[in-house]
């Protein structure tokens, strides 16, 4: 018998991890190659991970609600015959030492099954809305079950990526008598019942800290909490200021002839291709031609090195019904003519609004 690893696949350039939402197969179930075995959720899209081979699901490494990083082994499939040991097989044999840590047998009191999660969340009096950080569904479930407030979560020093609070962090906090993990780095002890600090004046030009209140502002205001996608968009916009030089240049172009040509051809195009001809594919074709003429536009910088992108992949911002934006990508746009671009633009825009994009298309 051979073993095959099921790894969390790469899901777009800016997606580094995903939350395991639902296992469609249980340990011991027979699976077929390309059959979906687990549902995952990222910051941008929900998706399914297919089985890489025919066999039997032997081991599940991440439970529902846990967060896995791209490349993590999330499951093991046992296949017939000698099979080929998965790459990094020796490391995989050591990984089970991590698996008990993830499942935390000694902490089973905070590990709940999916049926109980909904009941606990519905009954829990703890309000976890707001907050300046993202918390995984598993961390929120543990917090609600143990009565950990959003104020306490905000003060726990996270050890995950971007200071994210992990399962280990919140369990350490709870088992330590509700004393903060990494307390030595926090100069003041946390009171058993955190009191709301007295409001302090916000210096001009600086962002207000914590959850804003209407009375903190002059005149009539409405406080609207951003949904998860908007928080991520805002975070990425701020990060882009630190990672990309922002230079704006304007050159006027007379597109009168393009407008006249499109208006003249749109009905004929629809009859012939069954697709609407918008201005977007026309401008994308122009961008592709410009990149071919000036290939050094299509580069990024890493340290002292210039990374020249040989593929021409064009992102197109698409408005969602929620009012947020998502950016599906037309891969190898230089290999498509105007008709192909029009079909691709319409298809991606339609599936974006229906939440049917795949991770590779974002």
């Amino acid at each position: 018998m051979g073993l095959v690893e099921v790894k969390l696949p790469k899901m777009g350039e800016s997606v580094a991890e995903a939350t395991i939402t639902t296992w469609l197969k249980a340990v011991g179930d027979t699976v077929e190659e390309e059959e979906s075995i687990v549902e995952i959720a990222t910051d941008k899209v929900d998706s399914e991970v297919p089985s890489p081979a025919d066999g039997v699901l032997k081991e599940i490494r991440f439970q529902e609600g846990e967060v896995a990083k791209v490349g993590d082994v999330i499951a093991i499939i046992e296949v017939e015959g000698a099979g080929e040991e998965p790459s990094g097989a020796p490391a995989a044999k050591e990984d089970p030492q991590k698996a008990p840590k993830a499942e935390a047998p000694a902490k089973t009191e905070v590990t709940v099954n999916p049926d109980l999660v909904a009941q606990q969340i519905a009954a829990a009096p703890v309000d976890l809305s707001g907050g300046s950080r993202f918390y995984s569904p598993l961390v929120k479930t543990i917090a609600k079950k143990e009565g950990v407030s959003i104020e306490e979560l905000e003060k726990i020093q996270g050890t995950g990526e971007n200071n994210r609070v992990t399962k280990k962090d919140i369990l350490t906090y709870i088992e330590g008598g509700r004393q903060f993990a990494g307390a030595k780095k926090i100069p003041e002890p946390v009171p058993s019942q955190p009191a709301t600090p007295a409001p302090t004046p916000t210096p001009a030009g600086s962002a207000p800290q914590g959850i804003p209140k209407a009375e903190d502002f002059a005149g009539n205001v409405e406080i609207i909490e951003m949904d998860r996608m908007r928080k991520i968009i805002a975070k990425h916009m701020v990060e882009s200021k630190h990672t990309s030089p922002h230079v704006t240049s304007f050159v006027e172009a007379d597109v009168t002839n393009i407008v006249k040509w499109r208006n003249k051809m749109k009905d004929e195009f629809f009859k012939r291709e069954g697709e609407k001809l918008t201005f977007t594919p026309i401008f994308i074709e122009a961008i592709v031609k410009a990149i071919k003429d000036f290939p050094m536009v299509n580069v990024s910088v890493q340290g002292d090195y210039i990374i020249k992108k040989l593929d021409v992949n064009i992102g197109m911002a698409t408005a969602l019904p929620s009012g947020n934006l998502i950016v599906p990508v037309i891969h190898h746009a230089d290999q498509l003519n105007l008709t192909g671009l029009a079909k691709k633009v319409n298809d991606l825009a339609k599936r974006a609004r229906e939440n049917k994009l795949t991770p590779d298309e974002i």
Side-chain angles (χ1 to χ4, degrees), residues 4 30 52 77-78 112 118 136 152 155 190 202 209 233 242 266 289 299 302 325 345 352-353:
V4 175
T30 300
I77 293 177
E78 190 173 57
V112 296
S136 70
E152 291 177 273
K155 294 179 181 179
V190 179
T202 301
Q209 302 297 316
I233 290 172
H242 298 282
K266 63 180 183 179
K289 290 181 178 180
V299 303
Q302 185 171 322
L325 290 176
V345 165
R353 290 188 287 267

Side-chain angles (χ1 to χ4, degrees), residues 53-64:
D54 295 337
V56 175
L57 185 59
K58 179 180 177 62
E59 181 183 351
I60 289 177
R61 296 276 180 90
F62 288 82
Q63 302 303 313
E64 293 179 0

Side-chain angles (χ1 to χ4, degrees), residues 152-192:
E152 291 177 273
L153 278 178
E154 288 287 283
K155 294 179 181 179
I156 295 177
Q157 185 169 338
T159 60
E161 185 174 359
N162 296 323
N163 298 321
R164 180 172 295 179
V165 176
T166 65
K167 175 183 177 182
K168 180 181 178 182
D169 295 332
I170 191 169
L171 290 177
T172 300
Y173 169 66
I174 293 170
E175 292 175 353
R178 306 291 279 269
Q179 297 297 317
F180 291 110
K184 60 184 179 181
K185 298 182 181 180
I186 301 176
E188 296 182 3
V190 179
S192 56

Side-chain angles (χ1 to χ4, degrees), residues 9 37 45 47 64 89 104 130 155 170 189 194 209 229 250 255 271 345 349:
I37 60 175
V45 70
S47 185
E64 293 179 0
K155 294 179 181 179
I170 191 169
Q209 302 297 316
M229 182 174 286
F250 293 95
V255 295
K271 290 178 182 178
V345 165

Side-chain angles (χ1 to χ4, degrees), residues 34-218:
E34 299 300 326
E35 180 181 9
S36 296
I37 60 175
V38 62
E39 294 178 349
I40 60 175
T42 71
D43 295 338
K44 297 182 178 181
V45 70
D46 297 342
S47 185
E48 297 178 350
V49 177
S51 169
D54 295 337
V56 175
L57 185 59
K58 179 180 177 62
E59 181 183 351
I60 289 177
R61 296 276 180 90
F62 288 82
Q63 302 303 313
E64 293 179 0
E66 292 186 325
V67 176
K69 296 185 181 299
V70 170
D72 281 350
V73 178
I74 59 175
I76 299 292
I77 293 177
E78 190 173 57
V79 298
E80 290 291 340
E84 294 184 5
E85 287 297 326
S87 59
K93 293 178 181 178
E94 296 176 2
D95 284 348
Q97 296 178 4
K98 290 197 294 186
K101 189 184 297 182
E103 295 174 1
K107 307 162 188 170
T108 52
E109 69 275 10
V110 294
T111 303
V112 296
N113 63 49
D115 294 332
L116 292 177
V117 170
Q119 299 174 12
Q120 291 167 350
I121 292 177
V126 180
D127 180 13
L128 293 180
S129 61
S132 60
R133 295 189 290 185
F134 165 73
Y135 300 100
S136 70
L138 180 63
V139 169
K140 284 187 175 181
T141 298
I142 295 173
K144 284 178 181 270
K145 182 176 185 296
E146 298 298 321
V148 178
S149 67
I150 187 64
E151 288 80 8
E152 291 177 273
L153 278 178
E154 288 287 283
K155 294 179 181 179
I156 295 177
Q157 185 169 338
T159 60
E161 185 174 359
N162 296 323
N163 298 321
R164 180 172 295 179
V165 176
T166 65
K167 175 183 177 182
K168 180 181 178 182
D169 295 332
I170 191 169
L171 290 177
T172 300
Y173 169 66
I174 293 170
E175 292 175 353
R178 306 291 279 269
Q179 297 297 317
F180 291 110
K184 60 184 179 181
K185 298 182 181 180
I186 301 176
E188 296 182 3
V190 179
S192 56
Q193 294 182 345
T196 303
T200 55
T202 301
S206 64
Q209 302 297 316
I211 303 174
K213 298 179 181 179
E215 54 266 28
D216 296 335
F217 300 87

Side-chain angles (χ1 to χ4, degrees), residues 258-266 277-279 282:
I258 292 178
V259 173
K260 289 180 178 179
W261 179 84
R262 182 257 179 184
N263 290 338
K264 176 183 176 181
M265 297 297 298
K266 63 180 183 179
L277 179 61
T278 65
F279 288 106
I282 298 174

